[in-house]
Amino acid sequence: MFLALRELSFARGRFILMGSVVVLISVLMVLLSGLSVGLINDGVSGLQKLPVTSFAFQADVDESAAFSRSVVSVEAAQDWIGLDGVADAAPFGNTLVNTRSDQGVDIDLALFGVEQGSWLEPSAAIGLALSGPGEIVVAGTLQDEGVAVGDTVTVDQIGTELEVVGFLDGQHTFGHVDVGYVDLRTWQEIHAGVRPGEPVPDHVYQDASAIAVKSADDAEADLAVGDAAAGTSSMTLEESFGASPGYTAETSTLQMIQWFLYAISALVVGAFFTVVTIQRKSEIAVLRAIGAGLGYLLRDSLTQSAILLAASTAVGVGVGVALGASIAASPMPFALETAPVALASGLLIVLGMIGAVIAVVRITRVDPLTALGGNR
């Protein structure tokens, strides 16, 4: 420990240069973590806030686009209700529409259709909950677009008018567009493209996108049994995120970049300490010749690596959080959460230490005779 601190002080320029590289990697890691969480929230926060444990989609549907391609009968909900571990089930509609507000502002909406008064119906933070057809409760973030309670949004192409009666609390988005809740019959008519005043075929009111299932508090629904009874194909709530537009591609890309960062960090730290070990070869030989134990030298070098990594990562995380706070105030989907940043910081230090361990193993190969000219 004494040697590690002494060398950090004596050769501070060399270690500051190395620490600066780790700081920059840490800053990039924090920003990528915030961007990853922001994109997830922007893609599926509307689903995350549903009191749902799983969705039952049409059998054999394309799982990457199940919300847009699946069509199930609303009666399938009755097949799920009463199964062991199922507290409740209800039909759920999901479709993306283009609308225009009273002020002429174009607004893209993810329309969620739910049965009025069911356990799926959300509470309005501002205004009122749904009370009938032709009403919509929208995400609170739409207030920034100038939308207010009492406004009317008109669905493009078919001309259906929806009165805004309430706002949800905070961000509710799906596929990077704001969510709007309507009653299931209104959703079915919009999804079928029925214009106001046109006759509605009976089969329109028989379809939904999926069956939303809520497991009992002390049990877990057997999805295979439910699918066999209802003729559906189920996904847990987390699995259904992959059916959101662009979710899998975005998260996979960011995760790949993060893992490359971790690998680069381990390689950079390992390469740095390899060079340092080679430069210290004569000093290490002297120390071993005068009786310094191998274990002591290894512990000393690893302590040096841990101090450098921990200090540099802490500085980088601090800078990254400060930069992230300014980015979060912009329209960019960005959100910093403690758990992902802490996990990424821990991985950065652990993988950096693995690189350092591989590098300082060279100490075991240093021959004490080198200090006495034994190499000549």
Side-chain angles (χ1 to χ4, degrees):
M1 185 70 178
F2 171 76
L3 292 175
L5 295 176
R6 177 111 181 144
E7 188 171 16
L8 283 171
S9 174
F10 180 76
R12 54 184 175 276
R14 182 171 57 188
F15 286 98
I16 287 175
L17 180 63
M18 176 59 202
S20 299
V21 175
V22 178
V23 167
L24 291 175
I25 292 175
S26 303
V27 171
L28 187 54
M29 178 269 298
V30 172
L31 296 181
L32 278 175
S33 175
L35 184 60
S36 179
V37 174
L39 283 173
I40 290 174
N41 289 343
D42 212 41
V44 297
S45 62
L47 295 178
Q48 289 173 326
K49 293 176 180 176
L50 285 170
V52 171
T53 54
S54 63
F55 283 104
F57 295 98
Q58 177 185 344
D60 301 325
V61 72
D62 180 359
E63 294 186 354
S64 64
F67 281 111
S68 58
R69 294 179 181 273
S70 171
V71 178
V72 298
S73 168
V74 296
E75 296 176 355
Q78 299 305 313
D79 296 324
W80 280 89
I81 295 174
L83 294 178
D84 290 341
V86 176
D88 213 336
F92 173 76
N94 184 333
T95 192
L96 298 174
V97 296
N98 300 321
T99 67
R100 176 166 293 187
S101 70
D102 289 336
Q103 290 74 29
V105 178
D106 293 328
I107 301 172
D108 296 332
L109 284 176
L111 278 189
F112 285 4
V114 297
E115 289 181 331
Q116 188 182 335
S118 73
W119 56 277
L120 275 177
E121 185 179 340
S123 300
I126 299 174
L128 303 173
L130 296 174
S131 60
E135 296 181 346
I136 185 170
V137 175
V138 296
T141 47
L142 274 179
Q143 294 176 94
D144 299 335
E145 303 288 337
V147 179
V149 172
D151 285 357
T152 299
V153 293
T154 304
V155 180
D156 288 352
Q157 305 298 325
I158 60 176
T160 301
E161 294 184 344
L162 301 170
E163 180 187 0
V164 178
V165 297
F167 287 99
L168 303 169
D169 184 21
Q171 183 182 22
H172 287 69
T173 47
F174 174 82
H176 305 294
V177 298
D178 292 296
V179 167
Y181 281 85
V182 295
D183 78 287
L184 187 61
R185 290 177 71 86
T186 300
W187 177 87
Q188 289 165 326
E189 293 172 6
I190 294 173
H191 183 250
V194 178
R195 296 175 181 274
E198 289 184 348
V200 184
D202 292 339
H203 69 82
V204 168
Y205 296 124
Q206 299 301 314
D207 295 337
S209 299
I211 302 300
V213 178
K214 180 170 66 173
S215 295
D217 293 337
D218 56 350
E220 186 174 343
D222 189 329
L223 301 185
V225 171
D227 287 338
T232 54
S233 176
S234 292
M235 298 183 203
T236 63
L237 179 63
E238 288 74 18
E239 290 172 343
S240 73
F241 296 164
S244 173
Y247 177 83
T248 302
E250 292 168 352
T251 54
S252 299
T253 301
L254 287 173
Q255 286 173 356
M256 185 185 68
I257 294 173
Q258 285 177 310
W259 282 112
F260 269 117
L261 262 184
Y262 297 141
I264 289 170
S265 171
L267 288 173
V268 167
V269 173
F272 174 77
F273 281 102
T274 297
V275 173
V276 169
T277 303
I278 292 172
Q279 290 178 337
R280 294 174 62 203
K281 188 176 180 180
S282 58
E283 288 88 344
I284 293 171
V286 170
L287 289 170
R288 292 201 63 187
I290 63 177
L294 192 58
Y296 172 81
L297 293 173
L298 288 172
R299 285 196 303 274
D300 190 73
S301 294
L302 291 176
T303 301
Q304 194 177 67
S305 309
I307 293 173
L308 179 67
L309 278 169
S312 302
T313 302
V315 172
V317 169
V319 174
V321 169
L323 285 174
S326 61
I327 295 175
S330 70
M332 183 184 297
F334 188 92
L336 284 177
E337 293 182 356
T338 303
V341 173
L343 176 63
S345 302
L347 281 173
L348 197 61
I349 293 174
V350 169
L351 293 175
M353 284 301 298
I354 291 174
V357 167
I358 295 172
V360 300
V361 164
R362 299 178 67 93
I363 290 176
T364 62
R365 302 174 193 157
V366 176
D367 188 349
L369 291 177
T370 305
L372 304 176
N375 61 332
R376 291 196 291 270

